[in-house]
């Protein structure tokens, strides 16, 4: 583990949209700065992700100073979205959580997103991540909160485990689908220089100047079967995870993290395992 390093950082400004790969990122209590502070909801106020709309993989969101966005997608004109001014909030359903959000104020934004998907959707913003949404209490410490991420502030994966998984795919019934790139798993932090599956035994780690606790392994869903460049779906990696990486009812790859303090992580930072 003496050679473990942070290989890459990934920030997803809009949940389910394509991510960015900055060289450094500020770690906030609820996740990387700018990560998953926006998301789409349907006309019933329920979150919309690549689970229902794989085409979201083709949409990109560039972070602008102050937290606004520049949205783009194939065949569509780019659109700038400012952070909505504080005002009345709207409750939306994010999986099991009801979260107060602030809708984008310009109807053109909702129209743009609706045209992207051919469905009635709205873009909403998380204005107060320190208070709006607690981490799953089964795995949280008091006061821990999370952005619009699936459940935890950050997701970590390792290149060695991806290599091992791709070896399993190559020997399986859907070998032609591999090897898979890391973006199938939409992580925040990618670590290199470890043994395969070493992260299964971690409980604490430090990346550069920032310490984290490992909350739980990440259970994977159909989004991992979506090609992030084409939006086409296959069988892998869920087929191979189901045969080789099943913990209880979950198919697992990667670990969910909660920051233990603020700081900045940078590509190339040493990764030290504390327990």
């Amino acid at each position: 583990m003496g050679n473990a390093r942070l290989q890459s950082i990934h920030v997803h400004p809009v949940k389910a949209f394509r991510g960015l790969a900055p060289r450094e990122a500020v770690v906030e209590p609820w996740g990387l700065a700018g990560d998953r502070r926006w998301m789409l909801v349907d006309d019933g106020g329920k979150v919309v992700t690549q689970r229902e709309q794989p085409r979201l993989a083709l949409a990109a969101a560039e972070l602008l100073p102050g937290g606004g966005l520049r949205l783009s997608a194939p065949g569509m004109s780019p659109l700038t979205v400012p952070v909505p001014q504080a005002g009345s909030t709207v409750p939306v359903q994010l999986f099991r959580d009801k979260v107060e959000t602030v809708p984008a104020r310009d109807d053109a934004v909702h129209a743009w997103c609706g045209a992207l998907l051919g469905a009635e959707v709205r873009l909403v913003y998380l204005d107060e991540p320190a208070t709006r949404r607690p981490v799953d209490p089964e795995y949280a410490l008091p006061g821990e909160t999370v952005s619009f991420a699936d459940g935890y502030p950050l997701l970590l994966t390792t290149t060695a485990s991806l290599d091992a998984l791709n070896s399993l795919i190559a020997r399986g019934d859907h070998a032609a689908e591999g090897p898979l790139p890391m973006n199938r798993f939409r992580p925040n932090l990618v670590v290199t220089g470890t043994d395969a599956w070493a992260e299964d035994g971690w409980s604490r780690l430090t990346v550069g100047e920032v310490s984290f606790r490992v909350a739980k392994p990440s259970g994977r869903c159909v989004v991992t079967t979506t090609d992030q460049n084409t939006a086409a779906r296959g069988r892998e990696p869920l087929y191979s995870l189901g045969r080789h990486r099943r913990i209880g009812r979950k198919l697992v790859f990667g670990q969910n993290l909660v920051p233990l303090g603020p700081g900045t992580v940078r590509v190339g930072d040493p990764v030290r395992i504390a327990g």
Side-chain angles (χ1 to χ4, degrees), residues 60-120:
E62 176 189 351
L63 270 176
L64 301 178
L69 304 172
R70 183 177 183 270
L71 305 180
S72 61
M76 300 184 66
S77 298
L79 182 69
T80 298
V81 185
V83 172
Q85 294 182 350
S88 58
T89 60
V90 174
V92 302
Q93 195 71 38
L94 175 50
F95 307 132
R96 293 179 297 177
D97 300 331
K98 189 172 287 293
V99 185
E100 294 294 328
T101 67
V102 181
R105 301 302 187 192
D106 188 345
D107 287 343
V109 175
H110 307 306
W112 190 97
C113 296
L116 171 70
L117 299 180
E120 190 75 22

Side-chain angles (χ1 to χ4, degrees), residues 78 128 161 175 212 219 227:
E128 297 289 348
S161 295
F212 302 88
D227 187 316

Side-chain angles (χ1 to χ4, degrees), residues 119-138:
E120 190 75 22
V121 293
R122 294 177 292 153
L123 185 66
V124 298
Y125 178 70
L126 184 64
D127 61 333
E128 297 289 348
T131 59
R132 293 293 188 206
R133 185 181 177 222
V135 173
D136 184 344
E138 185 176 353

Side-chain angles (χ1 to χ4, degrees), residues 9-43:
I9 300 168
H10 304 273
V11 175
H12 303 82
V14 180
K15 184 177 180 67
F17 279 36
R18 183 169 296 180
L20 309 172
R23 298 291 297 176
E24 64 179 51
V26 173
V27 179
E28 298 173 331
W30 41 83
L32 297 182
D35 188 62
R36 297 173 170 96
R37 292 288 295 275
W38 301 79
M39 72 178 183
L40 293 178
V41 295
D42 63 19
D43 55 2

Side-chain angles (χ1 to χ4, degrees), residues 49-57 177 184 221-228 230-238:
T49 74
Q50 288 186 33
R51 294 166 175 82
E52 308 82 25
Q53 291 279 5
R55 181 172 166 77
L56 286 172
E177 292 188 24
R184 289 292 188 95
C221 70
V222 70
V223 172
T224 60
T225 69
T226 306
D227 187 316
Q228 296 296 297
T230 67
R233 282 206 168 132
R235 296 288 303 279
E236 295 289 5
L238 292 185

Side-chain angles (χ1 to χ4, degrees), residues 193-234:
T194 72
D195 293 334
W197 316 121
E199 64 272 21
D200 288 351
W202 299 350
S203 59
R204 296 284 192 279
L205 69 148
T206 299
V207 181
E209 64 186 36
V210 186
S211 295
F212 302 88
R213 71 175 183 87
V214 179
K216 65 182 289 291
S218 178
R220 310 315 307 219
C221 70
V222 70
V223 172
T224 60
T225 69
T226 306
D227 187 316
Q228 296 296 297
N229 295 320
T230 67
R233 282 206 168 132

